[in-house]
Amino acid sequence: MVTFIKRGFDSSKLQASLQTKFLLTFVILLLIVLGCFLVYVNVLVIQPLKEKTENEKQMMAAKVSDQLNLYINNQNQLSQRILSNKDVFQLLSGGDYSGVTIEGLTRSRKLKDFMFQAIGPSLNIEDMMIYDLKGTEIASYIGYAGNPTSLAAFLKESKSMPTWSRSGYTLYRQPNGSISFVRTIMNQNGQVFGYLAIQLDQAFLQQSVSGLGDGEGFILDNEGQVIASSVPLEEEEEIPVFREFAADSGIYMDNQDNYVAYYKSPDTGWTSYIVTPKHFVLGPVDSVKYISILLITSLMLFSFVYIYISARRLLLPIRKLRRQILRINYSNMNIKLEARSHNNELIQLNEAFQELLERLQGSIDREKLALHEEVKARNSALQAQIAPHFIHNVLYLISIAAQEGKNAIVSEMCKHLSDSLRYIVSSPYQHVTLTEELRHTQHYLSLVQQNFEDDLEWEIDEDEAFDLIELPRLVIQPFVENCIEHAFRCTDPPWRIKVRVKVYNGIWAIEITDNGDGFEPGRIQEILGNIHESDSGVYQLQNNTSAIGNMGIVNTVNRLKLMYKNRLFFNIYNHSEEGKGATVQLIASLTKDFY
């Protein structure tokens, strides 16, 4: 019935089905939450961060352009300070003096003084020059050898310059590549006296596009020529091709996946470009994206672990019930299952199972009681078969001693026989200790020795630990009796019998050893076969012989099996040297359970 319950109630399928449903439900909810989280991160985090990064690049381009405007505005103010001196107009209107005359040298020196006063202690230009109406140089502040000596080419091109007017200024690229700030020297009445040219500092222009971090900066004029760049350009090296837009500022992505932010100055007409690789612009965005993915992955792993633990805790009553069913045997049918679940179906299932266990336990108790009574009856019958045989042999020895007139010996033998009979008849089906069994064996050997006197030598172990070992009555004495009756027929005295007991690690062993003739070939297998055949009941002799290995040994082993069952080991063997006797071994555990 227990096996039927174990096979019929298979909670593994129910557990797997419930776990699958819980997992699917939690996974669907988790996917919904993760989808909302991804939309939230993309809309409210990633997109604003991307727009912010792009705006920073545009502001950087505008900042470069503002620095250039400030620099050009400073040159405009410098030129205004020079034009505010009326002596400049007077010197330029004095006539066309040659540079080698006294008048020409004097005018050049005075103009240099005016330029020195206007520039002041700070110098952020390369040079300053004044030209006459024909574009011929009159005076220069420093006078570098590479400075242009004439503006004739500029005056021819100035008519086509949109930013140039006779009352304003313009930025002009010299043939040698340097940039000049050029304006007319004109009084309040609009009369032109000459031209003022300021050579811009190329190092300052380069400095305005430096320090851009991960990007590259370029400043282009209206004709698309490079004014300054953050990276040095080799000869004949082509600059990146930039698109043209109607708007003065913006950002776009070129063919090489670079973000290009541009800003065109309304004052100078120059356009500042900031070129940044895509991975640098989207670096912060990618960092947020990767961190979000990592957080999502961690959340998913944590959720799966939480779901798994929650499912196991929810199915804990079913697992306990299943484990209890698998542990059921005939000795633990009264165990109770603690069910603390709020699931009514599980509570009803547990109650039904407990009721079934109680009914099974009652049936098993009744079966055990009937079996116990049967075992006691069988034990008493077996012991009754041994006791008359022992009494018959002892009375025979007493009668021989009486015939020989040994009154003292007869008295002593009667005392030993009285102790032995009291031991045999007192509660024959109750177990005794090994100490009591060995004492009874001593009484028996004392009785027998009166007949053999010095020809018989015997030795029995004694130890207080033997009180812990329980046995049926009359277990050792039948083996000792068989030694005396059958083992010494063809052996010269002295005859020796040793009863040794060993207790180790919960196992006890009894060895009865003699120095007699030993067993005949094949006799040991016959004895063991008789014991094996008698496992189902009391062994019945085929004849009335009393040879060793028949009723005495078989019934003794059967009584031990009734107590120890499969925890008993019985063995018989001859000694290795021929004619040196045999040994009987009884080995069992110290377990006190009857079944």
Side-chain angles (χ1 to χ4, degrees):
M1 185 177 294
V2 175
T3 305
F4 173 77
I5 294 175
K6 293 181 179 178
R7 293 179 179 177
F9 184 77
D10 187 2
S11 65
S12 59
K13 294 182 180 180
L14 177 61
Q15 180 178 352
S17 177
L18 292 177
Q19 285 182 344
T20 302
K21 292 180 180 179
F22 284 125
L23 286 175
L24 288 177
T25 304
F26 277 104
V27 167
I28 293 174
L29 294 176
L30 181 62
L31 291 177
I32 295 175
V33 173
L34 292 180
C36 297
F37 180 75
L38 288 176
V39 173
Y40 170 81
V41 172
N42 186 64
V43 174
L44 298 181
V45 179
I46 296 179
Q47 288 297 334
L49 184 59
K50 181 179 178 181
E51 293 176 0
K52 178 181 178 182
T53 305
E54 293 178 353
N55 292 334
E56 289 179 352
K57 298 300 178 182
Q58 295 185 43
M59 293 176 60
M60 187 179 296
K63 181 179 180 181
V64 172
S65 181
D66 291 341
Q67 290 180 354
L68 293 177
N69 292 339
L70 180 61
Y71 180 62
I72 299 301
N73 189 34
N74 291 336
Q75 311 315 315
N76 186 27
Q77 293 178 4
L78 175 61
S79 64
Q80 292 289 347
R81 288 197 297 270
I82 295 177
L83 296 181
S84 63
N85 194 336
K86 298 180 179 180
D87 294 337
V88 175
F89 304 117
Q90 185 177 0
L91 291 174
L92 294 177
S93 62
D96 188 10
Y97 302 111
S98 172
V100 298
T101 62
I102 295 176
E103 291 81 1
L105 293 174
T106 302
R107 181 176 61 180
S108 177
R109 179 180 58 79
K110 290 182 179 181
L111 290 174
K112 287 183 178 182
D113 291 339
F114 294 154
M115 288 187 285
F116 177 78
Q117 294 175 4
I119 293 174
S122 61
L123 180 64
N124 55 2
I125 61 175
E126 291 186 359
D127 203 353
M128 182 183 294
M129 294 158 289
I130 296 178
Y131 300 87
D132 58 12
L133 293 175
K134 296 179 181 181
T136 304
E137 180 183 351
I138 298 176
S140 64
Y141 180 69
I142 297 178
Y144 290 114
N147 291 338
T149 58
S150 175
L151 287 180
F154 165 74
L155 295 178
K156 291 179 181 181
E157 299 175 2
S158 62
K159 296 180 181 180
S160 61
M161 294 180 180
T163 59
W164 168 261
S165 66
R166 299 184 65 84
S167 61
Y169 64 86
T170 188
L171 299 172
Y172 173 66
R173 179 187 291 273
Q174 299 288 350
N176 60 0
S178 61
I179 308 299
S180 299
F181 176 90
V182 182
R183 74 172 306 141
T184 57
I185 301 177
M186 181 176 57
N187 60 12
Q188 296 179 353
N189 297 325
Q191 182 181 358
V192 178
F193 296 90
Y195 301 95
L196 174 65
I198 301 175
Q199 296 292 104
L200 301 182
D201 188 1
Q202 192 65 29
F204 184 86
L205 296 177
Q206 293 291 130
Q207 184 179 359
S208 62
V209 290
S210 62
L212 299 179
D214 300 324
E216 297 179 355
F218 298 91
I219 301 175
L220 275 63
D221 59 11
N222 293 327
E223 297 178 356
Q225 296 182 352
V226 178
I227 302 298
S229 64
S230 61
V231 294
L233 299 176
E234 303 294 337
E235 294 183 1
E236 300 181 358
E237 182 179 356
E238 295 183 358
I239 63 173
V241 179
F242 301 106
R243 302 177 188 175
E244 295 184 0
F245 296 91
D248 292 338
S249 63
I251 187 171
Y252 67 92
M253 184 177 292
D254 61 8
N255 297 330
Q256 299 179 353
D257 290 337
N258 296 324
Y259 277 90
V260 181
Y262 63 92
Y263 186 87
K264 185 176 182 179
S265 173
D267 297 336
T268 62
W270 295 347
T271 304
S272 302
Y273 294 93
I274 306 297
V275 181
T276 307
K278 179 180 178 180
H279 62 276
F280 288 114
V281 176
L282 298 181
V285 178
D286 292 337
S287 299
V288 173
K289 185 187 299 182
Y290 295 146
I291 292 175
S292 301
I293 294 175
L294 181 61
L295 291 176
I296 292 173
T297 305
S298 302
L299 179 61
M300 290 180 63
L301 293 176
F302 174 78
S303 300
F304 277 117
V305 173
Y306 177 76
I307 292 171
Y308 177 75
I309 295 175
S310 299
R312 287 183 61 87
R313 290 177 62 86
L314 186 60
L315 298 175
L316 184 60
I318 296 179
R319 291 200 304 272
K320 286 184 177 180
L321 184 59
R322 182 172 181 269
R323 288 197 300 267
Q324 183 179 6
I325 293 175
L326 295 177
R327 292 197 309 266
I328 289 177
N329 54 49
Y330 289 106
S331 62
N332 61 355
M333 293 291 291
N334 58 348
I335 57 176
K336 301 294 183 179
L337 176 64
E338 295 182 2
R340 299 181 180 178
S341 174
H342 297 286
N343 193 324
N344 293 331
E345 295 179 357
L346 293 179
I347 295 176
Q348 294 175 1
L349 179 62
N350 177 66
E351 292 177 352
F353 178 70
Q354 296 295 344
E355 182 180 357
L356 176 61
L357 287 182
E358 291 175 358
R359 294 171 62 185
L360 286 175
Q361 183 65 45
S363 177
I364 291 173
D365 290 340
R366 290 190 296 271
E367 183 179 355
K368 288 173 63 176
L369 181 60
L371 181 60
H372 183 68
E373 295 296 331
E374 179 185 357
V375 169
K376 289 196 298 183
R378 291 175 59 190
N379 187 32
S380 299
L382 290 173
Q383 187 166 331
Q385 294 179 10
I386 294 175
H389 179 70
F390 164 71
I391 295 172
H392 170 75
N393 292 338
V394 173
L395 290 176
Y396 178 74
L397 293 175
I398 293 175
S399 65
I400 294 175
Q403 292 174 4
E404 294 178 356
K406 300 178 181 179
N407 296 331
I409 294 176
V410 171
S411 176
E412 184 177 356
M413 291 178 67
C414 288
K415 181 179 181 301
H416 287 299
L417 178 60
S418 175
D419 293 338
S420 297
L421 290 176
R422 186 182 300 109
Y423 175 77
I424 293 172
V425 300
S426 60
S427 300
Y429 56 86
Q430 290 185 354
H431 299 156
V432 296
T433 64
L434 180 56
T435 301
E436 294 174 339
E437 182 67 16
L438 292 175
R439 188 177 298 112
H440 169 70
T441 305
Q442 291 176 357
H443 290 312
Y444 172 77
L445 288 174
S446 297
L447 290 171
V448 174
Q449 192 171 21
Q450 299 300 328
N451 184 34
F452 295 99
E453 297 181 351
D454 295 335
D455 291 338
L456 178 64
E457 298 178 359
W458 53 271
E459 179 181 351
I460 298 178
D461 290 343
E462 294 184 3
D463 196 313
E464 295 180 356
F466 299 164
D467 292 336
L468 303 176
I469 302 174
E470 293 185 351
L471 298 171
R473 296 176 186 271
L474 301 178
V475 169
I476 301 177
Q477 180 256 324
F479 296 104
V480 174
E481 181 179 359
N482 276 297
C483 292
I484 295 173
E485 294 293 333
H486 306 287
F488 303 135
R489 290 180 178 178
C490 300
T491 302
D492 295 332
W495 303 315
R496 298 183 180 90
I497 298 176
K498 291 183 180 181
V499 180
R500 292 182 295 179
V501 182
K502 297 180 181 179
V503 181
Y504 177 74
N505 198 19
I507 302 294
W508 59 263
I510 301 175
E511 291 184 353
I512 299 97
T513 305
D514 63 67
N515 64 341
D517 303 331
F519 293 94
E520 298 178 358
R523 188 58 175 165
I524 294 178
Q525 296 300 326
E526 180 182 352
I527 295 173
L528 296 178
N530 292 336
I531 294 174
H532 179 72
E533 292 176 359
S534 64
D535 284 343
S536 59
V538 179
Y539 174 68
Q540 300 295 332
L541 288 175
Q542 301 298 326
N543 49 54
N544 294 327
T545 59
S546 60
I548 186 169
N550 288 317
M551 186 176 66
I553 292 180
V554 175
N555 286 350
T556 301
V557 175
N558 282 337
R559 289 190 298 118
L560 283 170
K561 285 185 177 181
L562 287 175
M563 178 176 179
Y564 287 97
K565 291 187 178 295
N566 59 346
R567 294 180 285 109
L568 176 71
F569 174 77
F570 175 76
N571 188 29
I572 303 176
Y573 63 90
N574 288 328
H575 296 167
S576 59
E577 298 182 10
E578 186 176 355
K580 294 297 182 179
T583 297
V584 176
Q585 287 184 332
L586 297 172
I587 303 174
S589 69
L590 285 174
T591 304
K592 296 183 179 180
D593 293 341
F594 189 81
Y595 294 96

